[in-house]
Amino acid sequence: MHRLATLFVLAAAAVPAIAQPANLNDRIIEEGLQNSQVMEFQDYLCNHLGHRLTGSDGFTRACEWARDEFAAMGLDARLEKWAEWKHVWNRGQWTGRVVAPEGMELQVATPAWTAGTRGLARGQLVRMPTTAEEVAELAPRLGEIYLWGARGRPDKAVRRALQAAVDEAGLLGYVQSAESTGWADRSYENQIRVFGNSNTARGSWEKLPTVPDIVVRDDQSERIDAMLEAEQEVVVEFDLRNRFRRGPIELHNVVADLVGTEHPDEVVIVCGHLDSWHQAAGATDNGTGVTSTLEAARILTAAGVRPRRTIRFMLWGGEEQGLLGSAAYVRQNRADMNKVSAVFNHDTGTNWAHSLTVTKAMHADFKRVLEPVMDLTPPDPEHDGRTFRLRWAEKMSGGFGGSDHASFMAAGVPAWAWGLTGRSKYGYGWHSQWDTYDIVIPEYQRHTATVIALTALGVANLPHMLPREGIERRSGGRGFEGLFRQWYGLELDEDLAVTGVVDGGRAARAGVAKGDVLIKLWGDEVEGYVDMYRAWRSHQEDDAIEFAVRRGDAVMNLRVDLEEPPEAAAPDAGKPSSQPAKPRRVIAAVAPAAWYSPSRDSASRLVVRAATA
């Protein structure tokens, strides 16, 4: 048993059998801020268990560990199966180096569900062929060389010819720079991002990949390019311990209930996703959400909480492949979705919980629930303003992608991702080699877990379930496109040319017009959908959107304020407001789909819609 588990058994044994303890909120705050164990969870998750790719042995071990930790708190904890895949894929050690013309140790990565090497494999590095003639010239040597360059660069005919030649002669591997993948964030020098296609784990054993895909850090790639440009013979060697194993392997969500005393069949869900990508430790995507969920459960049980409704703590699998675990849960429990009062999902990194936007019908309830949160001291001494911002809007809509709360929004269940603020730059660690324990901010995690515990208990103890007036099920599009339409009010092609502007939307109010080409958001350069996503993640707490567009030969700098109804003047549900009418914004309750990419699971893009089918 993990050493934390012993502490939780003792804490659970001290919980009063019936009565709620006095000064409960004070006890929760003291437990969360003075006796926090959230970073012990984070240490074990990142530094002992490590990366947790869906369908790997690491993910299975993490599920079992989390279940046991919840059980040690005295909760009804279990694993619930949501799928079974044919093959297991585990990542081992990766090493690479340039042997000649000079020695250079390489920082490398490979996408998930791709081939490894059979031990240390040395060969010459040769530029990717760009014509059928070059393919024919290289064909006799392919089994002894690595090809350098982005695989998507040759035209389709050349790619087909190359694939046929590789199928016949073999190849040591494909190697490219991190920049050429299109996923590295240019704001952070030498960042590497790799993903993968989980359909491989669900397909035929005979069709598993045999040629490694290798990504090299950009500064080292530049040196390699210079060697090749000088027509030097570049010899490299790689040892990539990626291994497939015949399955099947069962995939689970982790579920733990703090059972309600009056309405045990009505549920408030606190959640995050347990799976991660495989390159690093998954510390902020989404180790922070895992550990805040575990810590919120620990706080409530240690404080002796006896909620009126069940508080269900859930850790999802398959989020990174398309919200697979949460969507399966919604499908499997469709008949009970009317019993879910709220879903609070933490999948937004290591900054601290600072805001929620709710419907007008819920506003009075949340003002009551969040009273103890509003009185907390901000965890950042330099923070200027309110500890927590409660916003309201006429409607909430979502369900098109992003994180696991979208699966519930698609079924009409009130669901949120926490609005966070703080000094952390989410894009630094997001899906990169730097998503490790050291970038997690302890004081932020303590604060967020305490906010989650207070909010979940407050909603669970309301006299009624949260009203659903203003909750819209419609998806509004899939993946990034859905976010851009609902958040920015834009329709864009892949080159960020504006193909449509939503009437009354933010872009329209700023003055963006059809035919413009978007070049910056909030001053950040954007060249594709992923750049727009990063900008949104970094600036969603801002009070305005700043667009820069190219219109003909001119660059236009445009701005629109995000109107926020006055919190103090927000009317109670069903009561007329004495305040003058103001434009109300419709908020998209979900983030864009981080898994939405032509290089990854195309089938999974439909999973959220399927949850309500």
Side-chain angles (χ1 to χ4, degrees), residues 318-398:
E319 191 274 348
E320 297 291 2
Q321 290 72 50
L323 321 186
L324 301 181
S326 57
Y329 178 83
V330 172
R331 285 196 304 271
Q332 293 164 357
N333 297 276
R334 283 179 60 190
D336 297 325
M337 286 299 104
N338 63 329
K339 296 294 184 67
V340 180
S341 184
V343 177
F344 299 103
N345 182 41
H346 183 192
D347 182 21
T348 35
T350 189
N351 281 328
W352 52 281
H354 178 247
S355 69
L356 286 175
T357 303
V358 304
T359 64
K360 180 173 69 174
M362 301 174 188
H363 188 267
D365 286 330
F366 270 98
K367 284 192 71 175
R368 172 182 174 183
V369 164
L370 291 169
E371 281 180 4
V373 174
M374 301 293 185
D375 292 335
L376 293 176
T377 300
D380 194 334
E382 297 182 359
H383 176 71
D384 183 19
R386 291 165 288 183
T387 300
F388 198 89
R389 300 175 67 176
L390 176 61
R391 299 161 165 163
W392 69 275
E394 294 286 353
K395 298 177 181 178
M396 290 170 53
S397 61

Side-chain angles (χ1 to χ4, degrees), residues 15 59 63 140 268 315 388 476 481 496 567 601:
V15 174
F59 177 70
C63 288
V268 173
L315 300 176
F388 198 89
E481 292 94 333
L496 303 192
E567 294 177 13
D601 300 340

Side-chain angles (χ1 to χ4, degrees), residues 120-161:
L120 189 65
R122 178 180 292 192
Q124 184 179 352
L125 192 64
V126 178
R127 287 197 185 277
M128 187 78 66
T130 58
T131 66
E133 291 75 18
E134 290 178 358
V135 172
E137 183 179 341
L138 283 174
R141 304 176 54 204
L142 284 175
E144 302 172 353
I145 66 173
Y146 290 92
L147 289 178
W148 173 255
R151 292 182 64 181
R153 297 285 169 81
D155 65 32
K156 187 178 295 185
V158 176
R159 291 200 301 270
R160 283 199 298 262

Side-chain angles (χ1 to χ4, degrees), residues 298-314:
R298 189 203 66 80
I299 291 168
L300 293 175
T301 54
V305 164
R306 303 283 288 172
R308 299 176 70 179
R309 291 173 183 80
T310 294
I311 302 177
R312 178 163 294 162
F313 304 93
M314 303 198 69

